[in-house]
Amino acid sequence: MWYSKISKAICISILLAVIFPGIGNAQQNNPESMDSGHGPDWERSQKDYWPFPNPDAGYVSDHANLLSDDEQEKIERWLWEIESKTGVEIIVMTIYSIDDYAGTPNDSIEEFATALFNTYGIGNMPANDGVLLLVAVSDRQARIELGAGYGRSRDADSRIIMNSVITPKFKNADYAEGITDGVKAIALEFAQARIGLNWPLIILLAAVPILVLIAISLFMSGKRGWGWVCIGLLLVVLLAIFFVVRKTLKHMPRSSSSSWSSGGLGGFGGGFSGGGGATGSW
């Protein structure tokens, strides 16, 4: 029938126009799937942060030795690519105890994390949206500290990540998994960067050919009413794909540079904390 041929041609055109660009953009928004190539230039000025622990050259300073070399390198790559795309600087610091750093505000992990955040200057200005994940393993406490740009409006989101993602792993002494999963959750919540497969987009894309085939089958069998219902559902799915892809494009890299930002204090962005975030214990 002529209408079935027209429907098939339209559907094929839609598939070609939407699926292939969508898949390409999904890969661009996926730090794990990207080929980093040369990786970041980790050179940082030799500033002494005493009495606080001096940070390592990258985004992860594992002073408590909770991560293997491969795990640390993986997280480093994620966080570098996330900052390259979104401008959000996420720093991970593990220590044995805040009591090891005499002369710092170490009466509580909250005071220590805020002072550490400000001393390093985490987060890029003017957004001031940096995030610090601090783990004090001997104290059995962890802290997500947020830049002042968030205000206190994101404390509840931090608590959810801390209580449902990080500390349950730490209670079982799965520190590497807790840190890794915590970084993924922080990246998604505060940088809108999904680490791993973009399942929402994959599911939406998979639904397109299914709806197309169902609609064609219904039109060819004379059930035009149900066919139009499927067309309506198809339009909803395509609209959802448009918004997902639009969100993806928003977080594409701002430049071709692959080096650590040279601005701020010692390679950090010069941000400061507003005291917001969440603390967890195990």
Side-chain angles (χ1 to χ4, degrees):
M1 299 292 291
W2 63 269
Y3 57 81
S4 65
K5 293 181 180 180
I6 294 176
S7 298
K8 187 180 294 185
I10 293 174
C11 291
I12 291 173
S13 298
I14 292 174
L15 287 173
L16 292 175
V18 174
I19 290 182
F20 292 109
I23 292 175
N25 288 322
Q27 291 176 337
Q28 289 179 328
N29 194 42
N30 179 5
E32 196 167 52
S33 68
M34 292 182 65
D35 180 6
S36 298
H38 300 291
D41 176 3
W42 296 123
E43 290 185 5
R44 180 183 286 173
S45 62
Q46 300 300 309
K47 179 177 179 180
D48 186 4
Y49 293 91
W50 186 88
F52 291 95
N54 281 315
D56 291 340
Y59 294 82
V60 181
S61 298
D62 185 25
H63 295 301
N65 297 314
L66 302 180
L67 301 168
S68 69
D69 290 343
D70 289 342
E71 289 164 340
Q72 181 168 337
E73 175 61 28
K74 178 173 62 176
I75 296 173
E76 293 275 13
R77 186 179 72 250
W78 289 347
L79 298 183
W80 167 70
E81 294 189 6
I82 286 168
E83 186 179 10
S84 298
K85 295 171 184 290
T86 68
V88 176
E89 185 175 55
I90 301 171
I91 299 297
V92 178
M93 169 71 71
T94 75
I95 58 175
Y96 288 106
S97 173
I98 61 176
D99 293 333
D100 295 336
Y101 302 96
T104 65
N106 59 1
D107 289 337
S108 68
I109 194 170
E110 291 84 3
E111 291 182 357
F112 185 86
T114 298
L116 180 69
F117 193 109
N118 294 338
T119 300
Y120 285 0
I122 297 172
N124 293 302
M125 299 299 286
N128 203 6
D129 53 1
V131 182
L132 167 67
L133 173 58
L134 173 67
V135 180
V137 63
S138 296
D139 300 332
R140 302 183 68 83
Q141 286 189 306
R143 173 76 178 170
I144 296 174
E145 188 78 12
L146 302 179
Y150 297 106
R152 302 304 297 267
S153 64
R154 306 301 298 277
D155 289 5
D157 299 321
S158 301
R159 280 194 295 272
I160 291 172
I161 295 173
M162 182 63 72
N163 295 331
S164 64
V165 178
I166 297 175
T167 54
K169 300 293 185 182
F170 287 0
K171 288 177 181 178
N172 296 323
D174 295 329
Y175 295 110
E177 189 173 355
I179 292 170
T180 301
D181 290 349
V183 167
K184 289 181 178 180
I186 289 170
L188 181 60
E189 181 63 42
F190 294 100
Q192 293 77 53
R194 185 179 301 277
I195 298 173
L197 294 175
N198 194 334
W199 285 110
L201 182 58
I202 291 173
I203 293 171
L204 288 171
L205 292 174
V208 171
I210 294 173
L211 288 172
V212 168
L213 292 174
I214 293 175
I216 291 174
S217 176
L218 289 170
F219 277 118
M220 293 182 67
S221 63
K223 299 178 180 179
R224 298 174 62 85
W226 285 108
W228 286 113
V229 170
C230 282
I231 293 296
L233 290 174
L234 178 62
L235 293 175
V236 172
V237 170
L238 292 176
L239 186 63
I241 291 174
F242 168 78
F243 282 109
V244 171
V245 172
R246 181 182 179 186
K247 189 174 182 180
T248 298
L249 293 174
K250 181 180 179 181
H251 296 293
M252 289 177 64
R254 298 176 181 179
S255 70
S256 58
S257 173
S258 61
S259 62
W260 177 276
S261 172
S262 59
L265 302 177
F268 292 108
F272 55 91
S273 171
T279 298
S281 58
W282 62 94

